[in-house]
Amino acid sequence: MIMPANTEQLQAIKLLLLDVDGVLTDGTVIYNENRSETKCFSVKDGLGIRMLIKAGIPVGIVTGRASAALKRRCRELGITPLLDGISDKTAVIKDIVASTPITSLKEAAFMGDDLPDIPLMAYTGMAIAVADAHPAVIERADMVTRNPGGRGAVREVCEAILKAQGRWDEATSIFLGTGKKRD
């Protein structure tokens, strides 16, 4: 079931919060022989995040797992806040509001995929589920992406926010040019 975004909700978003496993990744966790963890991130999602941040809309992480790979990805993309190793995602609500330019979580969207995400989804102005989210998450979502987690779902949401807020042309002008035709 795909639920399109509500334009009014997207226009109000000043912060995009993401879960990681199942949203920024496909949910697979690989343990290496040296006891490190490997995660696969989509470069398409990464570009969407960078465009959103450049447009002045911060992107943050609230996740139950902590990993060096996640910290590196957040550094590379400029994602803040990074709240990892969080067992109770609603326990960090005050930290999110205090560390970002929002005054209320109603100005935030949260994108999740599984049961631990439901409480935080309920506190935000817009709850977003990836296409392959748990049915209980989809049932509570304001928007369900066409793409599954780790496969462009975050990019889809970033583009929807930029378009709803009238920032798409500016965000893509560096790639699409300023209307000049090639000779």
Side-chain angles (χ1 to χ4, degrees), residues 13 22 51 69 103 108 116 120 123 133 166 170 177-178:
I13 299 305
M51 289 179 5
T103 56
L120 191 51
Y123 277 97
E170 181 183 340
T178 58

PDB file of all heavy atoms in Angstrom, residues 13 22 51 69 103 108 116 120 123 133 166 170 177-178:
ATOM      1  N   ILE A  13       7.479  20.735   7.438  1.00  0.00           N
ATOM      2  CA  ILE A  13       8.647  20.014   7.954  1.00  0.00           C
ATOM      3  C   ILE A  13       9.874  20.917   8.010  1.00  0.00           C
ATOM      4  O   ILE A  13      10.283  21.504   7.016  1.00  0.00           O
ATOM      5  CB  ILE A  13       8.940  18.753   7.102  1.00  0.00           C
ATOM      6  CG1 ILE A  13       7.763  17.795   7.130  1.00  0.00           C
ATOM      7  CG2 ILE A  13      10.232  18.067   7.554  1.00  0.00           C
ATOM      8  CD1 ILE A  13       7.302  17.369   8.500  1.00  0.00           C
ATOM      9  N   GLY A  22      16.804  -0.667   8.107  1.00  0.00           N
ATOM     10  CA  GLY A  22      15.496  -0.811   7.497  1.00  0.00           C
ATOM     11  C   GLY A  22      14.996   0.460   6.855  1.00  0.00           C
ATOM     12  O   GLY A  22      13.995   0.444   6.151  1.00  0.00           O
ATOM     13  N   MET A  51      20.982  17.332  -0.325  1.00  0.00           N
ATOM     14  CA  MET A  51      20.167  18.393  -0.918  1.00  0.00           C
ATOM     15  C   MET A  51      19.232  18.994   0.132  1.00  0.00           C
ATOM     16  O   MET A  51      19.052  20.214   0.176  1.00  0.00           O
ATOM     17  CB  MET A  51      19.373  17.849  -2.118  1.00  0.00           C
ATOM     18  CG  MET A  51      20.249  17.538  -3.307  1.00  0.00           C
ATOM     19  SD  MET A  51      19.474  16.859  -4.816  1.00  0.00           S
ATOM     20  CE  MET A  51      17.769  16.844  -4.568  1.00  0.00           C
ATOM     21  N   ALA A  69      30.260   2.507  11.238  1.00  0.00           N
ATOM     22  CA  ALA A  69      29.851   2.783   9.860  1.00  0.00           C
ATOM     23  C   ALA A  69      28.799   3.889   9.821  1.00  0.00           C
ATOM     24  O   ALA A  69      28.851   4.783   8.962  1.00  0.00           O
ATOM     25  CB  ALA A  69      29.308   1.519   9.202  1.00  0.00           C
ATOM     26  N   THR A 103      11.022  24.049  17.385  1.00  0.00           N
ATOM     27  CA  THR A 103      10.511  24.361  18.722  1.00  0.00           C
ATOM     28  C   THR A 103       9.564  23.278  19.226  1.00  0.00           C
ATOM     29  O   THR A 103       9.224  23.242  20.392  1.00  0.00           O
ATOM     30  CB  THR A 103       9.775  25.716  18.731  1.00  0.00           C
ATOM     31  OG1 THR A 103       8.732  25.670  17.751  1.00  0.00           O
ATOM     32  CG2 THR A 103      10.735  26.855  18.401  1.00  0.00           C
ATOM     33  N   ALA A 108       8.636  18.239  12.837  1.00  0.00           N
ATOM     34  CA  ALA A 108       9.535  17.177  12.384  1.00  0.00           C
ATOM     35  C   ALA A 108       8.748  16.040  11.741  1.00  0.00           C
ATOM     36  O   ALA A 108       7.580  15.818  12.047  1.00  0.00           O
ATOM     37  CB  ALA A 108      10.351  16.631  13.563  1.00  0.00           C
ATOM     38  N   PRO A 116       9.725  -0.596  17.089  1.00  0.00           N
ATOM     39  CA  PRO A 116      10.291   0.408  18.001  1.00  0.00           C
ATOM     40  C   PRO A 116      10.156   1.848  17.495  1.00  0.00           C
ATOM     41  O   PRO A 116      10.327   2.792  18.262  1.00  0.00           O
ATOM     42  CB  PRO A 116      11.771   0.011  18.088  1.00  0.00           C
ATOM     43  CG  PRO A 116      11.803  -1.435  17.751  1.00  0.00           C
ATOM     44  CD  PRO A 116      10.717  -1.620  16.719  1.00  0.00           C
ATOM     45  N   LEU A 120       7.877   7.139  18.453  1.00  0.00           N
ATOM     46  CA  LEU A 120       8.403   8.418  17.969  1.00  0.00           C
ATOM     47  C   LEU A 120       7.577   8.932  16.787  1.00  0.00           C
ATOM     48  O   LEU A 120       7.367  10.144  16.656  1.00  0.00           O
ATOM     49  CB  LEU A 120       9.879   8.298  17.585  1.00  0.00           C
ATOM     50  CG  LEU A 120      10.604   9.607  17.316  1.00  0.00           C
ATOM     51  CD1 LEU A 120      10.413  10.614  18.437  1.00  0.00           C
ATOM     52  CD2 LEU A 120      12.084   9.356  17.097  1.00  0.00           C
ATOM     53  N   TYR A 123       4.792  11.107  17.961  1.00  0.00           N
ATOM     54  CA  TYR A 123       5.118  12.419  18.515  1.00  0.00           C
ATOM     55  C   TYR A 123       5.435  13.464  17.449  1.00  0.00           C
ATOM     56  O   TYR A 123       5.495  14.650  17.753  1.00  0.00           O
ATOM     57  CB  TYR A 123       6.324  12.316  19.454  1.00  0.00           C
ATOM     58  CG  TYR A 123       5.957  11.863  20.842  1.00  0.00           C
ATOM     59  CD1 TYR A 123       6.078  10.530  21.210  1.00  0.00           C
ATOM     60  CD2 TYR A 123       5.502  12.766  21.794  1.00  0.00           C
ATOM     61  CE1 TYR A 123       5.747  10.107  22.479  1.00  0.00           C
ATOM     62  CE2 TYR A 123       5.162  12.347  23.072  1.00  0.00           C
ATOM     63  CZ  TYR A 123       5.293  11.023  23.405  1.00  0.00           C
ATOM     64  OH  TYR A 123       4.955  10.598  24.673  1.00  0.00           O
ATOM     65  N   ALA A 133       7.946  -1.690   5.401  1.00  0.00           N
ATOM     66  CA  ALA A 133       7.826  -1.580   6.861  1.00  0.00           C
ATOM     67  C   ALA A 133       6.850  -2.627   7.398  1.00  0.00           C
ATOM     68  O   ALA A 133       6.022  -3.185   6.669  1.00  0.00           O
ATOM     69  CB  ALA A 133       7.343  -0.182   7.241  1.00  0.00           C
ATOM     70  N   GLY A 166       8.651  24.186  -2.348  1.00  0.00           N
ATOM     71  CA  GLY A 166       9.062  25.064  -3.444  1.00  0.00           C
ATOM     72  C   GLY A 166      10.564  25.244  -3.555  1.00  0.00           C
ATOM     73  O   GLY A 166      11.031  26.237  -4.097  1.00  0.00           O
ATOM     74  N   GLU A 170      15.727  25.089  -6.919  1.00  0.00           N
ATOM     75  CA  GLU A 170      16.982  25.588  -6.338  1.00  0.00           C
ATOM     76  C   GLU A 170      17.908  24.429  -5.957  1.00  0.00           C
ATOM     77  O   GLU A 170      19.111  24.469  -6.209  1.00  0.00           O
ATOM     78  CB  GLU A 170      16.682  26.441  -5.111  1.00  0.00           C
ATOM     79  CG  GLU A 170      17.917  27.017  -4.450  1.00  0.00           C
ATOM     80  CD  GLU A 170      17.576  27.803  -3.193  1.00  0.00           C
ATOM     81  OE1 GLU A 170      16.423  28.220  -3.019  1.00  0.00           O
ATOM     82  OE2 GLU A 170      18.501  27.982  -2.369  1.00  0.00           O
ATOM     83  N   GLY A 177      21.556  22.791 -14.201  1.00  0.00           N
ATOM     84  CA  GLY A 177      21.941  24.053 -14.836  1.00  0.00           C
ATOM     85  C   GLY A 177      20.900  25.135 -14.570  1.00  0.00           C
ATOM     86  O   GLY A 177      19.930  24.938 -13.873  1.00  0.00           O
ATOM     87  N   THR A 178      21.122  26.264 -15.168  1.00  0.00           N
ATOM     88  CA  THR A 178      20.245  27.419 -14.946  1.00  0.00           C
ATOM     89  C   THR A 178      19.376  27.702 -16.145  1.00  0.00           C
ATOM     90  O   THR A 178      18.939  28.821 -16.354  1.00  0.00           O
ATOM     91  CB  THR A 178      21.085  28.663 -14.614  1.00  0.00           C
ATOM     92  OG1 THR A 178      21.990  28.891 -15.703  1.00  0.00           O
ATOM     93  CG2 THR A 178      21.843  28.497 -13.322  1.00  0.00           C
TER      94      THR A 178
END
